[in-house]
Amino acid sequence: MKAEADALVAAVERLFSAGVMSHSGHGNLSARLPDERMFLTATGMLAGISTGDFATVGLDGTEHDGNLQPGSREIVGMHAVVYRERPDVGAVIHTHSPAVTGFAVAGRPLPARYEGLLRFGQACDVPVVPWAPRGSPESVAGIAAALRAQPHTAAVLLGNHGLLAFGPDPPAATHLVIALEEGAEAEWRAAALGGSAPLPPDALEAVRASISRSRP
Ligand SMILES: [Zn+2]
């Protein structure tokens, strides 16, 4: 799992260097492993994370190595549900990226109206999952329901909380988090100018079709 650890540490460094982390530096991320398992951050603070700060956990919640800190057990279901619902997903990232989290706290879907979102796989509005306690069955069920209702989305907003984004591998998921934060910042600024303009519907359709073709 050296390769997964290296990729996830590199992803964390990229998220911080891009300036998309919240003041607290809170977040967690994971990569899919063979045999219905994932490699997951074992601690809630990502700053200064190293390759030893991960745990191997089954998608059914089974702990394989005892590395998981008690506070991180709550995030297992949030990550595992994405891998169970989306066989093509290889990495999941949770952050409180400030501009995106504004939409999550407002309970407003983030519109897909920014070129960067299309480029990194988000060709539909990002849906909001209603708030429920972190890691609770209600929260996990809400994520599953949002993914089924919107099969094209590569991210969900966790209501009153933050962002959950995913992709085929850690670099792709990282790029998407950065694009989402840029898109959310652009929405805030466009609002001061009278609001963002929609992309042509056929542009979104074309990107969705291209993403579907590239799935395994
Ligand atoms: Zn959080």
Side-chain angles (χ1 to χ4, degrees), residues 26 94 96 161:
H26 170 82
H94 167 61
H96 297 176
H161 182 176

Side-chain angles (χ1 to χ4, degrees), residues 77 80-89 124-125 127-130 137-156 164 166 215:
V81 67
V82 180
Y83 294 117
R84 287 198 304 266
E85 293 290 327
R86 295 286 181 84
D88 55 323
V89 164
C124 66
D125 294 355
V128 182
V129 177
E138 294 85 353
S139 174
V140 172
I143 294 167
L147 295 180
R148 288 175 195 175
Q150 184 42 276
H152 298 294
T153 195
V156 295
L164 194 63
F166 29 93
R215 279 181 179 166

